Amino acid sequence: MLELVLVKLGGSLITDKNQPYTARLETMQKLVTEISLVRQQNPSVKLIIGNGAGSFGHQSAHKYNTINGVVCDADKLGFCLVHQDVLDLNKLLAHYFLQAGLPVVSLPPLTMVVTQNKQLVKTNFSVIENSLQAGLIPLVFGDVVLDQVIGGTILSTETLLAELAKYFHIQDNYQVKLINAGNYPGVYDDNGQVIPEITPANYAQIKAAIGKSESIDVTGGMIQKVEEFLAISDWGIDCWIIDGNIPGNLVKAVLGQATLGTVIRSGECR
């Protein structure tokens, strides 16, 4: 069985979300170094990397309200500008991966996904699957997508990775887990302490404590992340929310070692 780890490098981690179009280049380089270490220590692990939009895509998406539809000419221009913004950030990240000798290939979700009233109705992940089989590392990101009812909308990195996790999980030859590396230690409770584990059984009690992002985030902030991951935990897929700033934390999470953060799982013995 092949081990597949989907890793999100959060927008709050790789950009300064309070400074428009400002990438944290040193952080990007450190994260790429950690992924290199993962490949050295476990060459057989398959990886799909997804990056958040951070202070790139969220700015233009907020300005043009792209998530709620694309109708007039201004909306259409905004749709294309959001796409260009997320491409720009992804290109910066891809540069560091390639510089480190890691075979990443950028794959825009716009070409793989169609929605209907913001709900996923069509996906074609064959290019992701073929890239993995070819020994490449797919590099995806939050993106604009075409919508059959409202013209267009935004697909978050979390939603995309959750769909990819389910897609590969149902194939017998993949063992899947998902890791969200952000600019925070995990999910906080009312007392500002990291919640070590979230399950469907305890989520109702802690939901009120989970705040939304303080920066512009058109895709819902932490609550959206947790609920996306809770939904796929029912499939038997464990999801980790960790601090990507802590040296070695990402390596440990990918390799299944003891990691600081919050794990989201079904809570049932499997």
Side-chain angles (χ1 to χ4, degrees):
M1 182 172 286
L2 298 172
E3 184 181 5
L4 173 64
V5 183
L6 297 96
V7 178
K8 184 198 173 184
L9 305 178
S12 65
L13 182 62
I14 63 172
T15 74
D16 182 342
K17 291 186 80 169
N18 296 314
Q19 297 293 327
Y21 304 103
T22 304
R24 289 181 165 140
L25 301 179
E26 187 176 338
T27 298
M28 284 185 179
Q29 288 177 298
K30 289 178 180 177
L31 292 165
V32 167
T33 298
E34 295 217 15
I35 296 296
S36 295
L37 288 172
V38 167
R39 296 269 289 189
Q40 290 170 24
Q41 294 182 42
N42 186 358
S44 65
V45 67
K46 298 285 188 181
L47 295 168
I48 297 174
I49 310 291
N51 68 270
S55 64
F56 282 66
H58 286 292
Q59 302 297 326
S60 42
H62 180 72
K63 177 180 178 180
Y64 291 96
N65 196 26
T66 307
I67 197 167
N68 289 318
V70 176
V71 180
C72 65
D73 286 345
D75 292 343
K76 293 170 187 175
L77 177 62
F79 181 93
C80 296
L81 288 171
V82 175
H83 181 60
Q84 190 59 55
D85 284 348
V86 295
L87 284 175
D88 287 346
L89 179 60
N90 183 260
K91 182 180 178 181
L92 280 174
L93 185 59
H95 168 77
Y96 288 118
F97 276 111
L98 294 171
Q99 199 173 49
L102 293 169
V104 300
V105 57
S106 293
L107 300 172
L110 174 60
T111 64
M112 306 175 216
V113 171
V114 176
T115 58
Q116 190 174 77
N117 272 329
K118 305 181 188 178
Q119 300 301 310
L120 259 161
V121 290
K122 293 181 183 177
T123 61
N124 184 344
F125 294 140
S126 59
V127 66
I128 301 271
E129 193 166 6
N130 292 338
S131 297
L132 288 173
Q133 290 173 354
L136 305 178
I137 302 173
L139 182 59
V140 297
F141 46 94
D143 197 6
V144 291
V145 293
L146 296 169
D147 190 289
Q148 294 177 338
V149 174
I150 60 173
T153 189
I154 303 286
L155 181 78
S156 72
T157 315
E158 283 85 17
T159 299
L160 177 64
L161 291 180
E163 288 300 315
L164 284 166
K166 289 187 286 186
Y167 177 82
F168 286 101
H169 177 73
I170 61 176
Q171 301 180 32
D172 293 337
N173 59 327
Y174 282 102
Q175 181 180 356
V176 180
K177 69 178 175 182
L178 195 154
I179 295 162
N180 181 99
N183 194 34
Y184 33 77
V187 183
Y188 292 112
D189 63 15
D190 281 326
N191 300 315
Q193 300 298 309
V194 173
I195 303 165
E197 182 175 277
I198 297 175
T199 68
N202 71 2
Y203 181 60
Q205 297 174 331
I206 63 178
K207 182 177 180 180
I210 303 173
K212 292 187 177 179
S213 173
E214 294 179 1
S215 306
I216 295 174
D217 191 335
V218 297
T219 54
M222 184 60 80
I223 285 179
Q224 177 75 13
K225 290 176 176 59
V226 171
E227 294 188 346
E228 290 275 8
F229 297 160
L230 270 174
I232 65 170
S233 74
D234 286 342
W235 293 61
I237 301 168
D238 287 353
C239 305
W240 286 90
I241 295 178
I242 66 166
D243 190 341
N245 290 304
I246 299 174
N249 214 24
L250 180 57
V251 176
K252 291 177 182 177
V254 174
L255 297 178
Q257 300 167 1
T259 309
L260 296 174
T262 300
V263 64
I264 300 170
R265 55 168 58 110
S266 69
E268 299 175 0
C269 295
R270 296 188 298 275

